[in-house]
């Protein structure tokens, strides 16, 4: 089995050929949930176009070349900007002559602290990272899907819309939920499904590209630990999920098996509804 940067072979459970003939765009694909999703779709014989801000995405894509019966492509893009989202769609369209599914995963809290301690510029950065990356991506992807005759958009939100010490992130993911439900109303007549999953805490290897500065000092470490404690306590299973446990429902929602689901946000957090 080919091995790239963090690509470890087939998931324990997957559905062969579920994405055969489908072209799938995956953002945030260099690591974490995005990598797990791209890996699963490749093993289900979809053509996968991987996008990330990190050059690492090309190494990950190379590790998937021999996995899928479809094609594999990759591009770097800064999805915090409209120009980055436009360039991503242009690259995917050039590589695969369009795409059928777009899975938008880029996002993630940068700081962990009570809201009164956030500086205004930090709030703006959190919203740019976890709302505008999806907003710009969807705006760029939608016309391409409409021109393609329809398709599916899967956004990755979070159950942290009800969580401590990350209000700007929570507000951003609330925006992703609203984007999903509102756009589903508009897009259904154009044969485009719009859905989302809302992950809870997820176990993952140490990030190769960090989202921001880690906790500094005892106070910041305590604030971060409060997030961990609340996340585990809110899960009925009292644990974090795995990457496979997050990738599986994302891939299901993206697949033809979910063809009668739109406008829904599926919590994937061990019973925590967010």
């Amino acid at each position: 089995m080919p091995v790239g940067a963090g690509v470890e072979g087939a998931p324990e459970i997957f559905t062969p050929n579920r994405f055969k003939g489908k072209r799938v765009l995956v953002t945030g694909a260099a690591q974490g949930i995005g990598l797990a999703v791209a890996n699963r779709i490749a093993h289900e014989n979809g053509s996968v176009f991987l996008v990330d801000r990190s050059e690492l995405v090309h190494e990950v894509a190379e590790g998937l070349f021999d996995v899928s019966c479809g094609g594999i492509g990759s591009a770097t893009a800064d999805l915090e900007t409209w120009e980055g989202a436009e360039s991503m769609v242009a690259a995917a369209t050039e590589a695969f002559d369009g795409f059928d599914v777009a899975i938008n995963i880029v996002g993630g809290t940068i700081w962990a602290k009570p809201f009164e301690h956030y500086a205004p510029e930090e709030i703006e950065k959190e919203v740019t990272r976890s709302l505008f990356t999806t907003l710009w991506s969807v705006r760029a992807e939608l016309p391409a899907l409409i021109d393609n005759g329809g398709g599916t958009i899967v956004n990755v939100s979070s159950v942290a819309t009800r969580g401590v010490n990350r209000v700007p992130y929570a507000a951003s993911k609330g925006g992703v939920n609203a984007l999903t439900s509102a756009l589903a109303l508009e897009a259904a007549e154009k044969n485009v499904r719009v859905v989302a999953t809302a992950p809870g805490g997820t176990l993952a290897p140490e990030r190769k590209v960090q989202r921001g500065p880690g906790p500094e000092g005892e106070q910041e470490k305590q604030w971060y630990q409060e997030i961990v404690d609340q996340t585990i306590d809110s899960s009925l299973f009292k644990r974090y999920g795995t990457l496979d446990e997050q990738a599986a429902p994302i891939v299901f929602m993206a697949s033809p098996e979910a063809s009668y689901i739109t406008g829904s946000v599926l919590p994937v957090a061990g019973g925590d509804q967010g």
Side-chain angles (χ1 to χ4, degrees):
M1 194 65 65
V3 178
V7 180
E8 296 183 351
E12 185 176 346
I13 301 172
F14 66 99
T15 304
N17 294 325
R18 180 163 53 171
F19 282 88
K20 187 175 183 180
K22 298 294 183 183
R23 302 158 298 174
V24 185
L25 169 64
V26 182
T27 79
Q31 57 190 336
I33 293 174
L35 188 155
V37 166
N39 188 34
R40 181 178 289 262
I41 292 173
H43 278 88
E44 298 191 0
N45 288 326
S47 296
V48 190
F49 194 84
L50 296 83
V51 180
D52 201 277
R53 63 177 176 167
S54 169
E55 295 287 340
L56 182 65
V57 73
H58 301 306
E59 186 179 343
V60 172
E62 185 178 350
L64 293 175
F65 278 143
D66 295 331
V67 171
S68 174
C69 292
I72 300 293
S74 60
T76 57
D78 178 5
L79 299 180
E80 295 184 9
T81 69
W82 166 242
E83 292 76 15
E86 275 191 310
S87 72
M88 168 185 73
V89 168
T93 300
E94 181 178 358
F96 292 160
D97 193 28
F99 51 92
D100 307 290
V101 180
I103 303 176
N104 300 306
I105 301 175
V106 172
T109 187
I110 304 171
W111 290 279
K113 51 189 168 181
F115 191 44
E116 65 269 23
H117 292 281
Y118 275 87
E121 60 270 19
E122 291 174 338
I123 294 171
E124 290 181 357
K125 287 180 180 179
E126 293 275 14
V127 174
T128 299
R129 174 69 53 81
S130 290
L131 174 57
F132 272 92
T133 48
T134 302
L135 200 63
W136 291 139
S137 294
V138 170
R139 174 60 184 83
E141 294 155 357
L142 184 61
L145 290 172
I146 292 171
D147 289 346
N148 188 53
T152 300
I153 294 171
V154 182
N155 298 322
V156 175
S157 180
S158 174
V159 294
T161 49
R162 189 178 66 84
V164 300
N165 295 348
R166 42 187 171 168
V167 166
Y169 174 73
S172 300
K173 291 303 190 179
V176 171
N177 293 348
L179 163 64
T180 299
S181 60
L183 183 58
L185 290 172
E186 291 186 18
E189 65 180 21
K190 297 158 187 170
N191 198 33
V192 176
R193 292 193 304 118
V194 187
V195 293
T197 70
T202 305
L203 293 170
E206 184 176 352
R207 294 182 61 86
K208 294 181 174 67
V209 180
Q210 298 301 319
R211 292 192 181 112
E216 296 180 3
E218 291 306 311
Q219 180 62 84
E220 289 193 3
K221 290 178 182 177
Q222 179 185 334
W223 286 335
Y224 184 81
Q225 187 61 45
E226 287 172 4
I227 288 179
V228 174
D229 293 344
Q230 189 245 319
T231 298
I232 293 173
D233 186 60
S234 297
S235 166
L236 302 186
F237 293 132
K238 306 304 177 190
R239 66 172 176 86
Y240 273 32
T242 68
L243 288 174
D244 277 346
E245 286 174 326
Q246 295 300 340
I250 292 169
V251 170
F252 164 72
M253 293 289 265
S255 77
E257 294 177 285
S259 59
Y260 199 52
I261 302 174
T262 195
S264 297
V265 179
L266 174 66
V268 188
D272 182 4
Q273 301 299 302

